[in-house]
């Protein structure tokens, strides 16, 4: 919809916005991390036909369920979730949709064609404008590179490997396609439809979705264009938007060009898709390309388009934007200044967060899980968030983490920054953010949850066959078949986070001793342990356990903790006293100690990840009795944990380890409003609107 159509239905604002917005309210939907995979994608070279689906009558080209349940995002069902989200936006009358990165899964041609077809359909049929900003999965590197997946689902529930020319699996094949028998269940397929596109290919294929100016735009520019609002012409903007015009120099040590220092090395010219667009009079959307692909120290400058020259951008984000994309940061300052002068409503969006997303728990997370774990590297440093606030940006919508969260930063000079983490429709909780811009610098933010997604179970027949095959071949620790009993898409994503916790997070992210305790204890025992005072050390408890390994001994198979088997009268007395004190504490808080036994350590771990991903949206999936119990244990441990920080006594070690864990969980559960709220961009305040 162009500015003239909208202005006919508009009321002119009279406030400090002046006559900026052309309507009382303008809505923009933000849908990051779609990770679009075309489940009925057409491999145009005929290399992979897929598997016949009885419901659609089409051939499904999908990833396995095992691949989905060990990944932080779904690959297949998000196809249907995207259609449901777009239909929901249409029903609400939304005309502008922002895609803050990872709109594709690795920018592979077979999927990009499918995504473009869907976006084109909604743009043409419903007059919707899409504005994309790239993420670390689109593109994976600045330039094309070989790629592929080893976990497509093939015939008879078997795994189908598909790679492109130049990948290790398809190093020596000649021609457009090949089939290589490498000794797997099915021969490996080689096809260029699965390579990863770089910027040039992605920008060309998705040219109508923000990356280039459109005739209906009121205004459009990049950090590299030379015009302004006064002399703006569409033809000039189009000329200066060309791929070759949007290059900057980046070096291993920092930004090149005019920012380049004498000792900088491994310097390359790479693309940047950052742009500013005014889709309707008065609303400025600042689409920031926050991908930073730092050249390796030993990069081959004679072959600039080699993918091996660059690191990935997944952990870079704004921490590296400030050092390696300084020209964009400086340009952002000019955008803010002009927006203020002209009374424009400005919202920035990009793939990466501008503030930390763990509600102040990052330090404790690092203490328990280790430096670099738990995606801590993706969290902006405090000085980085402050620098971004000082550009004048007040409102930013990000993705990348698949989290639902609201970050608010205030600084002594009066600057502030709201960072809205929009959740992914490819993970738990599946949702998108809807922002409504209105007079007096107010922005209403609503989280639209995708509960009911039509056709979400259309592919389940193929997973059934996969499970039967895994079971028949004696595969150990296969995924839980109950996933296929999901009644709706929301329940399916709840299963996803549960199985992801069991099959990936606990095995790979949790320290062994903590993981052993989690699997060995129930909530009642945890409450008692929070009160336990005994002179026995961990080692002594292990020695006193009758013929069994104790929960403190790290091993492959966790053992249920049974205090009655610890053959020591002093320990038995201490346990009885702790049990009595725990009973009293529970009663003082309106609870019964025995009710704590209704959950175990695995339930705690799943809730931990639910709250991390979904913030307050997770409350509906956590037993209503459980959160007060978690909070009581957390408050008890918080008081106890500082008493003996270096003690090796059995009870003290539990308090130290679980004090931090429960503390993190309660911080996840007590952040800023993140479901339905209103922002005041003049005062920097937030008001909760949920009923």
């Amino acid at each position: 919809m162009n500015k003239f159509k909208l202005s006919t239905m508009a009321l002119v604002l009279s406030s400090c916005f002046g006559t900026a917005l052309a309507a009382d309210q303008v809505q923009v939907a933000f849908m990051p991390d779609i990770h679009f995979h075309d489940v009925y994608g057409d491999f145009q070279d005929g290399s992979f036909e897929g598997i016949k689906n009885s419901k659609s009558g089409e051939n499904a080209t999908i990833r396995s369920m095992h691949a989905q349940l060990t990944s932080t995002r779904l690959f297949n069902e998000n196809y249907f979730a995207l259609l449901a989200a777009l239909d929901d936006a249409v029903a609400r009358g939304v005309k502008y949709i922002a895609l803050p990165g990872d709109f594709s899964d690795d920018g592979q041609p077979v999927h990009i064609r499918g995504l473009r077809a869907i976006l084109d359909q909604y743009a043409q049929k419903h007059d919707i404008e899409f504005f994309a900003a790239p993420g670390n999965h689109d593109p994976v590197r600045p330039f094309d590179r070989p790629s592929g997946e080893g976990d497509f689902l093939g015939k008879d529930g078997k795994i189908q490997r598909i790679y492109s020319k130049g990948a290790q699996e398809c190093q020596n094949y000649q021609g457009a396609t090949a089939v290589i028998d490498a000794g797997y269940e099915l021969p490996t397929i080689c096809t260029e439809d699965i390579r990863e596109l770089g910027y040039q290919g992605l920008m060309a294929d998705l040219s109508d979705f923000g990356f280039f100016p459109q005739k209906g735009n009121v205004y459009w520019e990049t950090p590299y264009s030379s015009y302004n609002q006064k002399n703006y012409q569409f033809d000039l903007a189009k000329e200066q938007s060309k791929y070759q015009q949007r290059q900057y120099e980046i070096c291993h040590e920092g930004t090149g060009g005019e920012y380049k220092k004498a000792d900088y090395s491994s310097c390359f010219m790479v693309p940047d898709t950052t742009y500013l667009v005014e889709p309707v009079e008065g609303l400025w959307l600042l689409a920031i390309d926050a991908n930073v692909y730092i050249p390796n120290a030993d990069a081959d400058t004679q072959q600039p388009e080699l993918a091996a020259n660059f690191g990935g951008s997944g952990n870079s984000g704004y921490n590296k934007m400030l050092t390696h994309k300084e020209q964009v940061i400086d340009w952002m300052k000019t955008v803010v200044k002009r927006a203020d002068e002209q009374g424009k409503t400005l919202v920035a969006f990009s793939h990466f967060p501008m503030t930390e997303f763990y509600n102040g728990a990052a330090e404790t997370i690092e203490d328990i899980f280790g430096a670099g774990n738990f995606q801590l590297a993706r969290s902006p440093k405090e000085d980085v968030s402050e620098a971004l606030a000082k550009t004048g940006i007040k409102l930013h919508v990000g993705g990348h983490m698949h989290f639902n969260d609201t970050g608010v930063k205030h600084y002594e000079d009066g600057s502030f920054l709201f960072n809205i983490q929009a959740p992914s429709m490819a993970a738990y909780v599946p949702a998108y953010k809807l922002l409504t811009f209105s007079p007096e610098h107010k922005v209403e933010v609503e989280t639209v949850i995708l509960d009911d997604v039509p056709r979400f179970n259309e592919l389940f027949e193929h997973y059934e066959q996969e499970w039967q095959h895994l079971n028949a071949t004696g595969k150990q620790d296969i995924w839980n078949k109950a996933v296929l009993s999901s009644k709706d898409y929301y329940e399916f994503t709840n299963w996803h986070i549960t199985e992801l916790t069991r099959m990936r997070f606990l095995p790979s992210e949790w320290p062994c001793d903590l993981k052993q305790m989690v699997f060995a204890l129930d909530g009642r025992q945890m409450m008692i342990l929070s009160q336990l005072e005994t002179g026995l050390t961990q080692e002594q408890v292990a020695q006193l356990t009758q013929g069994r390994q104790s929960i403190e001994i790290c091993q492959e198979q966790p053992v249920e903790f049974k205090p009655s088997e610890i053959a020591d009268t002093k320990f038995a007395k201490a346990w009885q006293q702790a049990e009595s004190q725990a009973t009293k504490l529970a009663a003082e808080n309106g609870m019964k100690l025995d009710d704590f036994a209704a959950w175990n350590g695995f339930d705690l771990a799943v809730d931990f990840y639910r709250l991390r991903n979904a913030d307050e949206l997770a409350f509906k999936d956590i037993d209503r009795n459980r959160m007060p119990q978690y909070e009581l244990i957390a408050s008890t441990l918080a008081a106890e944990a500082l008493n003996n920080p270096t003690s090796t006594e059995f009870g003290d070690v539990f308090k130290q380890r679980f004090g931090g864990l429960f503390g993190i969980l309660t911080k996840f559960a007590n952040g800023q409003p993140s479901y339905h709220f209103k922002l005041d961009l003049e005062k920097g305040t937030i008001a909760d609107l949920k009923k």
Side-chain angles (χ1 to χ4, degrees), residues 93-105:
V94 176
K95 294 300 180 183
Y96 307 110
I97 297 179
L99 308 175
D102 284 4
F103 40 79
S104 73
D105 209 65

Side-chain angles (χ1 to χ4, degrees), residues 325-384:
K325 261 190 173 179
E326 294 177 77
Q327 82 283 2
V328 175
I329 300 297
D330 287 345
W331 173 77
M332 287 163 56
K333 295 174 184 176
T334 72
V335 170
V336 173
K337 184 174 183 294
R338 284 180 284 146
D340 289 343
E341 291 172 349
Q342 299 173 39
K344 306 293 185 182
T345 299
L346 174 66
V347 56
F349 70 96
S350 70
H351 185 56
F352 297 87
M354 281 192 173
T355 67
E356 70 94 9
F357 37 75
Y358 280 141
N359 296 344
E363 185 176 344
T364 309
I365 290 172
E366 184 170 338
D367 288 343
I368 294 177
F369 297 99
N373 292 326
F374 243 70
Q375 304 188 74
L376 286 170
R378 297 183 169 187
S379 181
K381 298 180 173 121
E382 177 55 36
D383 61 338
V384 170

Side-chain angles (χ1 to χ4, degrees), residues 122-151:
Y122 279 83
Q124 295 165 11
K125 185 176 180 180
H126 301 290
D127 201 20
I128 290 176
E129 294 182 52
F130 294 94
F131 304 98
N136 59 299
H137 282 273
D138 37 36
V140 177
R141 293 295 187 276
F143 309 106
D144 288 17
R145 73 169 190 170
S147 181
E149 314 294 350
D151 50 26

Side-chain angles (χ1 to χ4, degrees), residues 131 210 217-221 275-279 283-287:
F131 304 98
N217 298 153
V218 178
Y219 183 69
W220 191 96
E221 75 170 40
Y275 62 91
L276 170 69
V277 62
E278 187 172 4
L283 176 65
W284 277 12
L285 298 179
L286 178 57

Side-chain angles (χ1 to χ4, degrees), residues 36 38 41 79 82 108-119:
F36 182 83
D38 192 347
Y79 173 95
L82 172 60
Q108 296 163 331
V110 64
H111 304 314
I112 292 299
R113 288 195 299 268
L115 176 63
R116 183 181 63 208
I118 289 174
L119 299 186

Side-chain angles (χ1 to χ4, degrees), residues 473-590:
T473 54
K475 179 75 173 178
Q476 297 296 310
D477 195 29
I478 62 178
W479 48 271
N480 191 338
K481 191 179 178 182
V483 171
L484 303 182
S485 67
S486 301
K487 296 179 179 60
D488 54 36
Y489 186 62
Y490 186 96
E491 183 179 348
F492 180 66
T493 62
N494 200 2
W495 266 114
H496 179 251
I497 194 71
T498 302
E499 283 293 88
L500 188 57
T501 300
R502 180 178 71 87
M503 300 179 72
R504 173 172 166 172
F505 289 151
L506 281 168
S508 65
E509 292 188 342
W510 290 51
C512 193
D513 61 338
L514 184 61
K515 181 167 55 181
Q516 292 290 117
M517 287 187 173
V518 161
F519 278 112
L521 300 169
D522 64 28
R524 186 179 188 279
Q525 292 169 329
M526 292 182 198
M527 184 62 193
I528 295 171
L529 281 167
S530 75
Q531 303 301 309
L532 184 65
E533 299 290 344
T534 176
L536 296 179
T537 64
Q538 282 185 296
E539 183 179 355
Q540 289 171 324
V541 170
Q543 292 170 349
L544 290 167
T545 301
Q546 298 176 355
R548 307 170 78 247
Q549 291 288 334
S550 176
I551 60 172
E552 298 78 37
I553 304 301
C554 197
Q555 54 191 334
E556 285 299 317
Q557 295 298 324
V559 178
E560 180 185 357
F561 176 56
K562 295 182 178 180
S564 61
E565 294 185 357
I566 299 176
D568 183 84
T569 55
K570 290 183 179 179
F571 180 86
K573 183 177 180 180
W575 184 266
Q576 186 178 22
Q577 290 174 340
E579 186 175 25
S580 176
Q581 182 61 21
T583 301
K584 179 181 176 183
L585 271 173
E588 289 173 352
N589 288 272

